[in-house]
Amino acid sequence: MTGTHPTTIRRVEAHFRGDLRRSGHLATSLLPPLRLAWACAFDGEVRSPTIAHGRIYFNTLSGHAHAVALDGRLVWRFTSGTRLNASMMIWGDYAYCGCNDAFFYCLDAHTGAVVWKHRAGAAIQGNFAALGDAVFCGSYDGFVYAFDAASGDLRWRVNVGSGVNCSVAEMDGVLYLGTNGGAVIALDANTGDTIWQAHAPGGINSTCAVSQHGLFTGTRTGWFCAFDIVSGKLYWSVNFGAKIYASPALDEEFVYIPSDLGTLRKLRIADGSVVWESAIGTKKLSPAEQIWTCPLLSGDIVWIGPALGEIAALDRATGAKLWSYPVEGPSSSSLAIGHGVLASSTGGRRLLVFCP
C-alpha cells in the first residue's frame, strides 16, 4: 500500500450499474434516436465506462485506465500491471478499480496519479462500492475488503468462502454480493460481519441488484433468483435454460435481465412471471460467446449494448426496438449514460459517444 492524498471526498460519484444498489435505473433521461458524436480507438478492448466530472472514465484490457473529456480529448492515462476488466468507480475526487495483477488501485480522478494501492491474493474483476469514507471490493482470493477511501488503510477483510467475480452492491449500510461458489451474502458494511448467507443454484458472475423489494441475481446454471433482502430467503427462481452472466436492472415493479439465449426479459418482481422477451443484437450467439452486457433504464427506455453486434434502445413497456446502432460486438462491457451523452465500447478497441 502506498501514500495518502490531500484531496477530499466530495459528493461526486459514478458507479457501474448507475448507483450503489446496482439497479441500472438512472434518474436522467436520454431519448432515441441518437447520433454518433465521435469515436476513438485505443490500445486494447474498451471496458464499461463511467461518466463524472465532465469526463468519461474507462479501462482497457491492455492494462490502461483512461479519462477523456466529453469531446474525446485525452485527459490522462494510467498503466497498471496487466489487464483491467473492471470499471472505474468515481467517489469524490478519486477513481477506484481493481486489476488482474491483484492490486486495488485508487487514482486521482483529475490527474490519474496513484493515491494508494493494496494487493489482494488474486485477481480483481468486480467493481468497487462505497459508503461514507470507506470503499469495498471483492477478489478472486475469496475475500471482501474494506479500505479507508482516502488513505487506503485496511479496515477489515472477510473470507466469503469462494472467489468474488461480481461487483458489491450497497444499501442502507449493508453490502450484498454473490460468489463463484453460489453463495449470496449480506455483510455489515461497518464491521464485515455476516448478516445472512443464502445459496443460489449455481455460481454467480451476475452482480446482485437490490431494493426494498428484494435481491436479484442470475447464475451460470441459468437460474434467475429473487431473495428476501432482510432474511436471505429465496422468494422465487426461474430457469432460463441458458447461462446468466449479466446484471439485472430494477424499477419498482419489474426486473430486466439478459441471458445467453440472446434475449432480454422483463419479469414481474412479485413472482418472476415474464412480461416480455426481446431479441438483442443482430446475430446468434456462437458457442464460445457469452452475454455480459447489462441493461440500463432511462425514462421510458431500456438501453442495452454492445450485445451481439449492436447498441439498442427498447420500449420499456413493450420491449419493441426503437433505435439501434451496429458495432463489432459482442462484448462483456456495458454502456454508460450521463452528462447528456451515451458512451459505449464497440466490443473492440473503440469508444463510441452518442448525443441526441
Side-chain angles (χ1 to χ4, degrees):
M1 189 176 67
T2 62
T4 59
H5 196 72
T7 58
T8 57
I9 305 290
R10 293 185 286 109
R11 197 65 176 174
V12 175
E13 57 184 271
H15 309 283
F16 175 69
R17 310 299 302 124
D19 56 32
L20 286 172
R21 296 185 180 191
R22 311 298 186 186
S23 71
H25 195 175
L26 307 179
T28 184
S29 181
L30 190 68
L31 298 175
L34 302 181
R35 63 176 180 86
L36 181 65
W38 56 268
C40 188
F42 295 87
D43 56 2
E45 182 181 327
V46 173
R47 312 304 294 150
S48 304
T50 50
I51 303 173
H53 293 299
R55 297 169 188 154
I56 303 166
Y57 296 85
F58 61 94
N59 294 321
T60 64
L61 291 187
S62 60
H64 294 107
H66 301 78
V68 299
L70 295 179
D71 61 5
R73 175 179 51 86
L74 180 66
V75 178
W76 55 257
R77 187 178 83 153
F78 164 76
T79 302
S80 69
T82 184
R83 60 190 282 160
L84 288 161
N85 283 306
S87 299
M88 276 185 275
M89 178 188 77
I90 309 303
W91 187 251
D93 294 316
Y94 302 139
Y96 300 87
C97 64
C99 182
N100 274 25
D101 65 6
F103 274 103
F104 299 103
Y105 288 100
C106 173
L107 308 177
D108 186 303
H110 307 290
T111 67
V114 176
V115 178
W116 56 260
K117 64 180 183 179
H118 196 295
R119 190 177 184 90
I124 301 128
Q125 297 202 357
N127 303 292
F128 272 84
L131 178 64
D133 60 355
V135 293
F136 314 90
C137 198
S139 166
Y140 262 72
D141 65 6
F143 285 85
V144 176
Y145 294 78
F147 302 104
D148 183 279
S151 70
D153 291 338
L154 181 66
R155 294 192 171 180
W156 53 257
R157 71 170 191 158
V158 172
N159 189 338
V160 292
S162 181
V164 179
N165 185 55
C166 66
S167 304
V168 176
E170 185 278 329
M171 184 176 72
D172 297 334
V174 180
L175 307 178
Y176 301 92
L177 66 141
T179 73
N180 286 336
V184 182
I185 300 170
L187 303 175
D188 184 297
N190 292 314
T191 65
D193 293 340
T194 299
I195 297 172
W196 56 257
Q197 180 169 330
H199 195 79
I204 297 170
N205 288 84
S206 173
T207 291
C208 301
V210 297
S211 75
Q212 297 302 328
H213 302 295
L215 178 152
F216 304 87
T217 191
T219 72
R220 294 192 296 270
T221 55
W223 289 89
F224 188 72
C225 304
F227 295 87
D228 181 86
I229 201 71
V230 176
S231 67
K233 179 183 177 181
L234 181 65
Y235 271 155
W236 52 258
S237 59
V238 178
N239 190 345
F240 276 33
K243 296 177 180 179
I244 302 172
Y245 290 95
S247 307
L250 299 177
D251 59 27
E252 286 299 307
E253 298 182 71
F254 305 103
V255 55
Y256 306 75
I257 179 70
S259 75
D260 280 3
L261 286 175
T263 62
L264 174 68
R265 292 188 189 183
K266 178 180 180 179
L267 308 178
R268 288 184 176 85
I269 282 177
D271 57 11
S273 58
V274 178
V275 178
W276 52 253
E277 183 173 10
S278 293
I280 51 176
T282 58
K283 58 181 180 177
K284 290 185 177 180
L285 201 67
S286 73
E289 293 172 340
Q290 299 162 344
I291 293 180
W292 294 71
T293 186
C294 310
L296 283 179
L297 308 179
S298 176
D300 295 328
I301 306 299
V302 182
W303 294 95
I304 189 162
L308 297 179
E310 72 176 1
I311 299 165
L314 308 180
D315 183 280
R316 198 159 144 189
T318 67
K321 187 182 296 184
L322 304 177
W323 175 86
S324 64
Y325 188 92
V327 294
E328 296 156 26
S331 171
S332 56
S333 66
S334 301
L335 53 82
I337 294 173
H339 291 275
V341 302
L342 180 150
S344 175
S345 165
T346 61
R349 295 172 178 251
R350 291 187 301 143
L351 177 71
L352 305 180
V353 174
F354 299 85
C355 61

